[in-house]
Amino acid sequence: NAGVTQTPKFQVLKTGQSMTLQCAQDMNHNSMYWYRQDPGMGLRLIYYSASEGTTDKGEVPNGYNVSRLNKREFSLRLESAAPSQTSVYFCAITTSGLKGPYEQYFGPGTRLTVT
Amino acid sequence: QKEVEQDPGPLSVPEGAIVSLNCTYSNSAFQYFMWYRQYSRKGPELLMYTYSSGNKEDGRFTAQVDKSSKYISLFIRDSQPSDSATYLCANVAWKGGSEKLVFGKGTKLTVNP
């Protein structure tokens, strides 16, 4: 998954704790996305950013905040973690290349467990 | 109704079998149709995309779109154990002035040697 990096790879939180998931891209693309993936639920969009300085809600934004720090970085923050936020979180960018005009290129994911 | 519906499976086939993976969609405005492949503990990666109706072939993979019935399919010929993964269909939707992908829930495929 070169091009999109995520930190951390794994995290265990207690209910009520806060944390920030970091995403960075070196592909110089405008659009960045945060998804969560749960068994049987597929990929669900949490927030996205069409360009630096703009962010918008996706399908499941409750309990999350985001920050598009600059063109490279898009962070996802859990202010008060809940067990329902146990999931795998993916950051993605949209590219236009040989594989298609709207290819989303995903990071390796962050596995978060909230106890 | 969810915009993209996909049978989650799981689907288990012997090596060499022809695999058919299917999705239906509800938004007739969709123009781009994609298939992503996701190996265990990895992020999804784009496998193929098609634009509008028809077939598109890439090696052992064929993507097919039938816009009249809002049905998209991925066929894998001569399936290999290395094809074992979760396959997600996706469409592009434009909301709020930017493109977003709408994913199906994914079908887990296992190809047994």
Side-chain angles (χ1 to χ4, degrees):
Chain A
N1 299 87
V4 180
T5 58
Q6 290 183 238
T7 56
K9 287 189 168 49
F10 303 93
Q11 184 71 48
V12 179
L13 291 178
K14 288 182 166 42
T15 297
Q17 287 185 317
S18 62
M19 79 161 294
T20 299
L21 282 66
Q22 306 284 358
C23 174
Q25 54 128 342
D26 60 6
M27 302 174 79
N28 200 34
H29 288 280
N30 286 322
S31 298
M32 299 184 75
Y33 306 77
W34 275 107
Y35 292 91
R36 59 178 290 173
Q37 188 175 37
D38 304 290
M41 300 298 290
L43 280 162
R44 293 184 290 170
L45 183 64
I46 306 171
Y47 269 94
Y48 67 99
S49 171
S51 62
E52 183 180 351
T54 67
T55 60
D56 283 290
K57 296 177 180 178
E59 183 184 353
V60 288
N62 291 344
Y64 305 95
N65 286 303
V66 289
S67 179
R68 184 74 183 268
L69 303 169
N70 46 55
K71 194 170 186 180
R72 283 191 68 245
E73 299 171 287
F74 188 36
S75 61
L76 178 71
R77 183 159 177 84
L78 286 70
E79 291 291 352
S80 179
S84 60
Q85 294 178 305
T86 293
S87 189
V88 182
Y89 291 86
F90 288 102
C91 176
I93 62 171
T94 298
T95 72
S96 177
L98 292 176
K99 280 196 169 184
Y102 299 106
E103 176 180 359
Q104 284 208 339
Y105 195 85
F106 287 81
T110 294
R111 292 183 174 273
L112 175 66
T113 301
V114 183
T115 62
Chain B
Q1 180 188 8
K2 197 165 168 41
E3 288 187 288
V4 179
E5 301 275 2
Q6 183 176 9
D7 184 346
L11 187 61
S12 181
V13 301
E15 184 175 353
I18 296 174
V19 176
S20 172
L21 304 166
N22 306 293
C23 290
T24 58
Y25 64 95
S26 59
N27 188 342
S28 58
F30 285 147
Q31 295 289 333
Y32 288 94
F33 304 89
M34 287 158 281
W35 285 96
Y36 280 76
R37 178 174 60 194
Q38 185 177 20
Y39 290 114
S40 181
R41 296 186 170 266
K42 300 287 186 183
E45 57 181 349
L46 181 64
L47 184 62
M48 293 182 70
Y49 89 99
T50 58
Y51 174 68
S52 195
S53 282
N55 291 0
K56 185 173 184 178
E57 194 171 312
D58 184 1
R60 296 183 294 108
F61 298 87
T62 300
Q64 188 175 80
V65 177
D66 182 347
K67 292 196 79 177
S68 62
S69 58
K70 297 180 184 170
Y71 202 79
I72 54 178
S73 302
L74 179 71
F75 299 98
I76 308 174
R77 292 185 299 279
D78 187 24
S79 56
Q80 302 295 309
S82 58
D83 295 329
S84 297
T86 296
Y87 291 82
L88 302 103
C89 58
N91 303 121
V92 177
W94 277 268
K95 295 177 184 174
S98 65
E99 73 280 356
K100 294 175 205 39
L101 265 61
V102 180
F103 287 89
K105 292 182 179 181
T107 300
K108 186 174 182 179
L109 171 68
T110 301
V111 181
N112 301 299

